[in-house]
């Protein structure tokens, strides 16, 4: 069977999964989910009822990092999996403390009892550390870590882009710009209509991109 990816274009977790699938040129049937109108076929297979969710011949993968690894184990032409052990630490910091602070900075109405100023400061501490670590890439060359982290930095940046651009993080700014203007991100952000059960299949990645 062709694997099926349930996705949502603007979700940062789904972004990272699509980027890895594109890099691996791993063909999937893409089913674009509208989160306020989740189809029953998606709810029937996703343990968490969240995107992304990959259904393949041997089971279901419900975590975005695991989808990235699965795709790259099929085909890793750019060597994204070739990264040092501390790459996992950077991904964990992004998915853990940074994402926690990001949500409480961006979605203040969801967390009325939280200290937004402190969460914003915590996110900035992470970005300062990232700026000191970056030298074009996190490591010697592009890796899974860069593409796993960038959707969340992008999300933080666009809370207030003029403010973000004015911050003293030149390496972060260059890295973010390079990735967002690169072919992998651009191809992964193509728009697709909401999937309906009677629709014909839509395949990703598009071989023309």
């Amino acid at each position: 069977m062709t694997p099926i990816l349930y996705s949502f274009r603007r979700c940062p977790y789904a972004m990272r999964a699509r980027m890895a699938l594109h890099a691996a040129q791993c063909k999937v049937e893409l089913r674009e989910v509208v989160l306020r109108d989740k189809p029953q076929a998606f709810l029937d297979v996703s343990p968490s009822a969240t995107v992304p969710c990959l259904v393949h011949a041997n089971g279901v993968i419900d975590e975005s990092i695991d989808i990235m690894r699965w795709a790259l184990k099929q085909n890793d032409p750019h060597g994204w999996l070739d990264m040092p052990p501390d790459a996992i630490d950077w991904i964990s910091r992004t998915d853990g403390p940074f994402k926690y602070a990001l949500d409480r900075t961006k979605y203040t109405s969801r967390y009325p009892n939280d200290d937004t100023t402190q969460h914003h400061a915590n996110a900035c501490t992470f970005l300062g550390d990232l700026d000191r670590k970056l030298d074009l890439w996190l490591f010697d060359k592009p890796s899974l870590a860069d593409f796993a982290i960038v959707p969340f930095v992008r999300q933080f940046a666009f809370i207030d882009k003029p403010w973000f651009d004015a911050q003293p993080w030149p390496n972060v700014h260059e890295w973010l710009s390079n990735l967002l203007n690169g072919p992998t991100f651009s191809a992964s952000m193509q728009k697709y209509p909401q999937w309906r059960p009677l629709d014909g299949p839509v395949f990703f990645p598009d071989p023309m991109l």
Side-chain angles (χ1 to χ4, degrees), residues 172-191:
V172 168
H173 295 155
E174 181 181 17
W175 171 84
L176 182 63
S177 178
N178 287 342
L179 286 168
L180 297 190
N181 290 299
T184 300
F185 184 80
S186 297
S188 300
M189 290 299 289
Q190 295 299 305
K191 291 184 178 180

Side-chain angles (χ1 to χ4, degrees), residues 5 11-26 28 51-54 56 60-77 79-83 87-88 91-92 94-95 138 142-152 175 179 184-185 188 204:
L5 179 72
C11 170
Y13 294 105
M15 286 179 197
R16 60 164 45 159
R18 291 194 305 271
M19 286 193 286
L21 289 162
H22 179 269
Q25 287 299 292
C26 187
V28 299
V51 293
C53 177
L54 183 79
H56 62 99
V60 175
I61 306 176
D62 207 44
E63 294 290 338
S64 58
I65 284 292
D66 293 335
I67 295 173
M68 294 184 82
R69 292 193 181 103
W70 177 88
L72 295 166
K73 286 177 181 177
Q74 316 304 308
N75 183 35
D76 187 14
W80 283 14
L81 291 175
D82 180 18
M83 55 187 183
I88 304 305
I91 295 170
S92 296
T94 303
D95 289 3
L138 263 174
S143 71
L144 179 151
D146 294 285
F147 291 88
I149 291 170
V150 73
F152 301 96
W175 171 84
L179 286 168
T184 300
F185 184 80
S188 300
F204 177 89

Side-chain angles (χ1 to χ4, degrees), residues 20-53:
L21 289 162
H22 179 269
Q25 287 299 292
C26 187
K27 180 181 176 182
V28 299
E29 179 186 339
L30 189 143
R31 296 181 177 180
E32 183 73 2
V33 173
V34 173
L35 299 182
R36 65 178 180 276
D37 184 22
K38 297 176 182 178
Q40 190 59 47
F42 165 63
L43 296 174
D44 288 343
V45 296
S46 173
S48 64
T50 58
V51 293
C53 177

